[in-house]
Amino acid sequence: MNKPELLAPAGSLLALKRAVIYGANAVYAGVPKWSLRVRGNGFSKQDFEEGISFAHSHGALFYAVVNAIPHERRIHTGFESQLEEVASLKPDALIMADPGLISQARRICPQIPIHLSVQANTVNSLDVKFWASVGVRRCILARELSLSEIELIRAECPDTELEVFAHGALCIAVSGRCLISGLLARRDANTGACNNSCRWPFKARAIRCVTANSKNDLPDDEVLRAELEDTDNRPGQWMDMEEDAHGTYLMNSKDLCALPVLERLCKSGIDSIKIEGRSRSPFYVAAVTRAYRLALDAIAHGEKIPDESYLIVNSIPSRGYTTALLDPKRPDLAQDYENNSPGQGRFRICGQISSQDPDGTIHVTVKNRFAVSDHVALFTPSGIKDLDVSEMRDEQSSERVAIAPGSGYFVKLPCPYRVDCLMDEMVCFNE
């Protein structure tokens, strides 16, 4: 069975390093201004240099994301010079979507492979063959494909690398090419300026109520016929809508989780499994990377996916999970009608370890409240390790304390493990 590459997001240098240490075979980071993660993308030239060096020194690959779809005026604002600068750092591939920019890249840096972004909406084998004919080495397949369609494409295109998204946020759009943000806020998602309009809260005011029995045999409850107002962004502008007990999050998809179908994805012969999340925290990247590393290794050895993989993905913040169009289910099982932001999850970051003494004592900068009675653990590249916090002491006075109240406090406690302050996280379980 093919063992695909595990590709993890790097929205920051720390996230990149954690992804690599927690098991990623490759990482991808956005080129500022020319990728679809403008917000929070702080990668400088120095970060690229250090990130590429770190990845390569640990046997991992580094892909630079240049997948914006620019309008005419924007293509004359320094693309060639920035591409030359990125190319000089020798990333292992460029992830691109726009045919014009791809042609420029083929001319400026023909030695660097091109991976076709999901934004290009590759949905059939003829697409793959076309892109291969113009020099694209890998196609990142559209999120709209089912497992069986992926298998058919692989059978028709045995010589082109194929990549599939396996975990992360989903947009109500075609391969992420969403117009909602542009229409509502004049912020074009296809140039990296998405403002997550599909997750805005909407307020309803009643016009009249009807019973569901009068509406195509829906469950026997009441449906509110209403007008909607986007209170945060378009106050005073009302749209017709209906609302039931679940609310009105109209376009709010659950997150993708391919663990239930990961073995079949591996058997399909794809070359890369991709985790979404360049806007997520370094802890999130580390956790999901470990979950899929464990799963892929188990599948490669003919074993079942370990419980720890499911524990991790079910314990980090998410909007709930769906296999989406990989393995379609009822539409209501893919939508979150009740919340517009990720749930808290079972893991809560409770402290950052600043240093460790020779005797094992760790010094902790408290991030969120925890107490000596709580279930606290270290989340590490080698697994989750329970931590006894019953002897917690104040950092300055060394007096024993029962509670670390939250941000702004510093405590110390004995630890039987050697700690990597950069890679290990201290988490509290929300029991």
Side-chain angles (χ1 to χ4, degrees), residues 324-381:
L325 295 175
L326 288 172
D327 185 24
K329 300 291 192 300
R330 287 174 12 216
D332 58 305
L333 297 180
Q335 288 289 106
D336 182 354
Y337 292 109
E338 299 178 354
N339 299 286
N340 75 324
S341 59
Q344 183 180 30
R346 193 180 175 206
F347 292 153
R348 182 176 76 252
I349 302 298
C350 60
Q352 179 181 347
I353 302 169
S354 57
S355 63
Q356 185 173 32
D357 296 339
D359 67 358
T361 299
I362 56 175
H363 300 260
V364 179
T365 301
V366 180
K367 295 299 183 182
N368 288 291
R369 182 188 185 280
F370 66 97
V372 295
S373 59
D374 288 336
H375 181 186
V376 176
L378 293 177
F379 192 94
T380 78

Side-chain angles (χ1 to χ4, degrees), residues 51-119:
I52 291 172
S53 176
F54 185 90
H56 289 173
S57 68
H58 289 80
L61 303 176
F62 182 103
Y63 306 147
V65 184
V66 199
N67 65 343
I69 303 174
H71 289 214
E72 180 62 25
R73 289 185 178 87
R74 192 173 174 192
I75 63 174
H76 304 293
T77 59
F79 171 73
E80 290 192 18
S81 61
Q82 188 153 18
L83 181 62
E84 289 172 349
E85 180 178 278
V86 171
S88 71
L89 303 177
K90 299 182 179 177
D92 297 287
L94 301 173
I95 299 176
M96 306 186 72
D98 185 87
L101 298 190
I102 289 174
S103 68
Q104 294 286 76
R106 295 288 297 155
R107 177 179 60 83
I108 294 169
C109 49
Q111 75 281 7
I112 300 179
I114 303 295
H115 293 180
L116 188 69
S117 171
V118 72
Q119 296 293 121

Side-chain angles (χ1 to χ4, degrees), residues 234-277:
R234 299 168 70 85
Q237 299 184 38
W238 295 87
M239 300 172 285
D240 291 335
M241 187 49 60
E242 293 179 352
E243 177 181 296
D244 63 14
H246 298 293
T248 54
Y249 291 102
L250 307 177
M251 297 159 282
N252 191 40
S253 173
K254 291 182 179 180
D255 291 343
L256 173 64
C257 178
L259 284 178
V261 296
L262 191 61
E263 183 175 359
R264 185 171 170 186
L265 269 176
C266 292
K267 289 180 178 178
S268 73
I270 61 168
D271 297 279
S272 183
I273 292 285
K274 188 171 193 173
I275 299 167
E276 183 277 337

Side-chain angles (χ1 to χ4, degrees), residues 264-343:
R264 185 171 170 186
L265 269 176
C266 292
K267 289 180 178 178
S268 73
I270 61 168
D271 297 279
S272 183
I273 292 285
K274 188 171 193 173
I275 299 167
E276 183 277 337
R278 278 184 287 148
S279 299
R280 305 301 290 265
S281 71
F283 171 68
Y284 176 92
V285 173
V288 179
T289 299
R290 176 162 174 80
Y292 279 81
R293 177 77 279 146
L294 292 172
L296 289 172
D297 289 349
I299 291 169
H301 289 94
E303 302 167 357
K304 63 176 289 189
I305 294 175
D307 292 340
E308 185 178 343
S309 292
Y310 288 100
L311 170 66
I312 291 172
V313 299
N314 289 321
S315 297
I316 58 178
S318 77
R319 296 181 174 88
Y321 291 120
T322 174
T323 52
L325 295 175
L326 288 172
D327 185 24
K329 300 291 192 300
R330 287 174 12 216
D332 58 305
L333 297 180
Q335 288 289 106
D336 182 354
Y337 292 109
E338 299 178 354
N339 299 286
N340 75 324
S341 59

Side-chain angles (χ1 to χ4, degrees), residues 119 171-182 188-190 194 198:
Q119 296 293 121
C171 299
I172 305 300
V174 176
S175 290
R177 295 183 300 172
C178 179
L179 298 178
I180 302 169
S181 175
D188 187 355
N190 302 305
C194 178
C198 60

